[in-house]
Amino acid sequence: MTMTKLYIKNMVCDRCIMVVQNEICKVGIGIKDIQLGEVTLEKELSDEERLVLDARLTELGFVLIDNKKSRIIEKIKNIIIHYIHYGANDTKSNLSNILSTELHHDYSYLSNLFSEEEGTTIEKYSIAQRIEKVKELLVYDELSLSEIAYRLNYSSLGYLSNQFKKVTGVTPSRFKQIKENKRKPLDKV
C-alpha cells in the first residue's frame, strides 16, 4: 500500500489538527498519522481528491505546501510553536540545536532559508512567539510575571520585561491593565 505525505501550512495547534483530520475524513481518505503541519495518508490522492481537499482546507485558512523550501519553513515554525506554546521547553537544549536535530540540516542553512523566505530571522520569530505566550499567560492571570519568566526560560524578570516592551510597546503590567484583547493568532505572528 502506497502512502502520501501532505504538508499543510497554518496548522499551529491541536485544534488545527482536529479540523484538518475532520476535513480529510469528510473527503473519505484514511489517515495513518497526523501532527502539526504534516499528515500521512493511507493511500495516494487522486487529482480530484487533492483538488477537493485543497479547496476545503483553503476555506479554513490552511494551505497545502508543495515545494521543499516551504515545507522546511513550516516545520521550523511548527517546532518553534510546539517548543514555546506546548511545554516542550527544555532548559538544557537551545532552539538552534533542536531545529538542526529535528530537521537534519545545519542551523546556518535553516536560518538563511527562513530569513530569505520569511523576511525575518528565526530568532525574531521565536521572540514574537514567546511574547504571544507571555500575553496569553498574562491574560489568564494565573501566574506572576516571575513565574512566567521562569516557565518560558527567561534569564531574568528584567529581560522578559524589556523584551516585552520592545515588541509590544508597553510593559507587561500595563498590558494586563489594558482591557482590549491584544493577542494575535499563532499563524499571524
Side-chain angles (χ1 to χ4, degrees):
M1 184 183 288
T2 313
M3 290 181 288
T4 298
K5 207 168 246 210
L6 297 177
Y7 298 94
I8 304 172
K9 186 173 183 172
N10 298 330
M11 281 180 72
V12 296
C13 65
D14 291 340
R15 188 172 295 125
C16 294
I17 290 173
M18 186 177 69
V19 169
V20 168
Q21 185 172 18
N22 189 37
E23 290 304 311
I24 292 172
C25 289
K26 282 181 186 175
V27 176
I29 302 162
I31 297 172
K32 183 169 180 172
D33 183 48
I34 187 168
Q35 48 193 289
L36 291 178
E38 209 171 290
V39 180
T40 305
L41 303 175
E42 291 179 349
K43 68 176 188 88
E44 292 284 333
L45 288 177
S46 69
D47 290 342
E48 185 181 328
E49 287 172 326
R50 188 173 187 85
L51 285 172
V52 169
L53 184 59
D54 189 31
R56 291 180 91 121
L57 292 176
T58 300
E59 241 177 63
L60 297 167
F62 301 104
V63 179
L64 286 176
I65 303 170
D66 285 328
N67 75 51
K68 185 179 178 183
K69 286 182 178 181
S70 294
R71 289 194 307 253
I72 292 172
I73 297 297
E74 198 61 22
K75 284 181 179 182
I76 290 169
K77 288 180 176 181
N78 287 330
I79 289 167
I80 291 169
I81 288 168
H82 186 72
Y83 180 77
I84 292 169
H85 293 275
Y86 301 106
N89 283 356
D90 178 359
T91 55
K92 294 172 184 73
S93 299
N94 66 27
L95 189 57
S96 59
N97 289 341
I98 291 169
L99 290 170
S100 293
T101 301
E102 290 202 25
L103 299 175
H104 310 291
H105 285 286
D106 184 62
Y107 181 74
S108 62
Y109 168 76
L110 296 173
S111 178
N112 289 335
L113 176 65
F114 192 90
S115 297
E116 181 182 297
E117 297 288 320
E118 292 296 308
T120 189
T121 66
I122 288 175
E123 182 183 13
K124 286 181 181 175
Y125 181 80
S126 174
I127 288 168
Q129 289 294 338
R130 283 176 93 186
I131 295 303
E132 284 308 308
K133 184 65 176 178
V134 172
K135 289 179 185 179
E136 175 187 336
L137 294 171
L138 286 171
V139 168
Y140 292 158
D141 202 23
E142 294 174 356
L143 301 172
S144 70
L145 199 52
S146 295
E147 290 168 321
I148 292 171
Y150 177 76
R151 180 174 282 187
L152 295 178
N153 298 325
Y154 278 95
S155 57
S156 71
L157 178 57
Y159 183 61
L160 164 62
S161 296
N162 287 340
Q163 194 173 71
F164 190 92
K165 184 167 184 172
K166 186 176 180 183
V167 172
T168 65
V170 296
T171 65
S173 20
R174 178 71 182 124
F175 177 84
K176 272 179 93 166
Q177 293 169 349
I178 299 171
K179 296 297 180 204
E180 65 188 77
N181 191 0
K182 296 266 189 183
R183 292 181 55 207
K184 297 178 189 173
L186 296 183
D187 62 333
K188 304 290 186 228
V189 174

